[in-house]
Amino acid sequence: MEHIRSIEELARWKSEGREKKLGFVPTMGALHDGHLSLVRLSQSKCDRTLVSIYVNPTQFNNAEDLAKYPNTLEADLQSLEMTGCDAVFLPDAQMLYPDGLKSRSFDFEGLDRYMEGAGRPGHFEGMATVVTRFFELIGPDLAIFGEKDYQQLCIIRQVVAKEDWPVEIVPAAISREADGLAMSSRNMRLLPYERKNAAQIFAVLSSAVAELNPRETNPKAFENRCADALNAIPSIHVEYVSCCDAATLQQVDEFNTNRPTRVFAAVQCGKVRLIDNLPLF
Ligand code: AMP
């Protein structure tokens, strides 16, 4: 696996395989099997796969979250090597932000109105700034984004369509631990008892979804039922539970089983913020 640390090395690596279909998987490192599933998906669709590892400061609105973001570079490189990844791009801030660490401005047309957009001001501008900079430098044919960060996936799709980036955005299903917890780099910061309690997030949401009768329950009542059950789990404090249209991400006032809809949750588990989402219909 090629380790690429400069724009010149990237240009050389790209020129060596110009005619090959290139898949790109952006990550912030601390890789787990969820990330590797994205790499495998890219490998199944492309001739070459490049993974970036960069903890992007402009998408953090909480300095402590940024400072505590796990760094496991050696293990990450080993996992990527074992997965058969072709290249890893390890840029620094100067390469990505030659004019200083600031975000571009975007009009996400309301996709950022709720959920992570409401709770983390500037997060999506920072994320879209770095992802479009990666597209500019790497020029991938295809880029993979996990449904774990469903709102991010929708926003990137909208930016790509609006700004006409010649890249196909491919979603990857959420990878879960055996007990259902959505894999996340942040899970390693959970204390053992918090980790055990965190498994209940998926248990609560999936059983609420299984029991939902959309003719008898409205979204508000469903959200409240989920939030109460999540708040009853030790260590867990709910930030939001929202039922949103899967395409527009607008919160729904009534259920329409003909429109794809998902339930989204963000909770604080001890000191760690966790998110998850599931399809309703
Ligand atoms: P991150 O390193 O957290 O920025 O994530 C990099 C990419 O991996 C994003 O597209 C995430 O949505 C995706 N990802 C992270 N965790 C998971 C997971 N459990 N299942 C699927 N994709 C994931």
Side-chain angles (χ1 to χ4, degrees):
M1 181 175 68
E2 196 94 19
H3 294 194
I4 300 173
R5 292 178 188 274
S6 71
I7 291 177
E8 294 70 36
E9 283 169 22
L10 179 64
R12 186 181 46 73
W13 184 78
K14 270 174 52 186
S15 69
E16 283 165 6
R18 207 170 296 133
E19 67 298 339
K20 293 184 177 162
K21 186 168 179 183
L22 174 57
F24 170 50
V25 180
T27 81
M28 298 204 297
L31 301 183
H32 49 65
D33 208 50
H35 294 113
L36 300 181
S37 76
L38 272 57
V39 176
R40 290 189 281 264
L41 184 56
S42 170
Q43 289 170 324
S44 73
K45 292 176 174 289
C46 296
D47 305 312
R48 302 207 296 176
T49 293
L50 178 141
V51 171
S52 64
I53 298 182
Y54 178 69
V55 181
N56 176 36
T58 62
Q59 72 189 67
F60 285 79
N61 56 326
N62 176 331
E64 190 186 340
D65 195 24
L66 172 61
K68 291 209 174 135
Y69 203 81
N71 177 338
T72 59
L73 184 60
E74 279 315 306
D76 292 352
L77 295 175
Q78 261 180 28
S79 310
L80 291 175
E81 187 91 53
M82 277 166 51
T83 312
C85 181
D86 298 283
V88 59
F89 182 34
L90 303 160
D92 61 19
Q94 178 57 35
M95 281 176 232
L96 299 178
Y97 295 96
D99 301 324
L101 272 179
K102 51 181 188 287
S103 298
R104 285 174 51 198
S105 58
F106 292 89
D107 177 4
F108 298 130
E109 297 170 338
L111 288 171
D112 60 335
R113 182 151 159 222
Y114 298 112
M115 305 188 286
E116 301 302 287
R120 302 178 67 188
H123 167 68
F124 287 121
E125 281 80 7
M127 180 281 296
T129 298
V130 83
V131 169
T132 50
R133 176 69 176 144
F134 276 129
F135 288 166
E136 183 176 60
L137 290 173
I138 297 166
D141 298 293
L142 176 156
I144 316 256
F145 289 84
E147 289 186 339
K148 162 83 173 16
D149 301 283
Y150 193 89
Q151 197 171 10
Q152 165 173 288
L153 165 69
C154 294
I155 285 178
I156 284 300
R157 278 200 169 121
Q158 185 256 6
V159 170
V160 161
K162 195 166 176 170
E163 299 188 354
D164 220 7
W165 288 95
V167 54
E168 182 191 350
I169 302 302
V170 175
I174 299 178
S175 296
R176 298 182 179 280
E177 303 287 356
D179 62 9
L181 178 64
M183 290 183 182
S184 165
S185 306
R186 292 184 167 86
N187 293 351
M188 64 176 82
R189 287 176 45 211
L190 295 168
L191 300 172
Y193 71 94
E194 291 168 347
R195 169 64 189 80
K196 209 163 142 253
N197 294 333
Q200 293 303 309
I201 300 166
F202 177 69
V204 160
L205 291 176
S206 55
S207 66
V209 170
E211 285 163 15
L212 170 65
N213 180 343
R215 283 183 304 278
E216 285 174 3
T217 310
N218 65 41
K220 196 82 243 142
F222 179 74
E223 289 164 3
N224 289 340
R225 191 184 309 152
C226 292
D228 289 346
L230 290 170
N231 276 325
I233 306 168
S235 333
I236 302 280
H237 292 281
V238 171
E239 191 182 300
Y240 62 76
V241 177
S242 300
C243 295
C244 296
D245 182 290
T248 65
L249 298 185
Q250 300 308 297
Q251 228 163 343
V252 296
D253 296 328
E254 49 193 63
F255 286 130
N256 176 351
T257 52
N258 295 320
R259 283 202 65 95
T261 306
R262 296 179 87 94
V263 58
F264 297 84
V267 305
Q268 198 72 34
C269 181
K271 290 193 167 157
V272 183
R273 189 173 182 278
L274 301 173
I275 58 170
D276 202 348
N277 70 87
L278 275 83
L280 293 176
F281 18 83

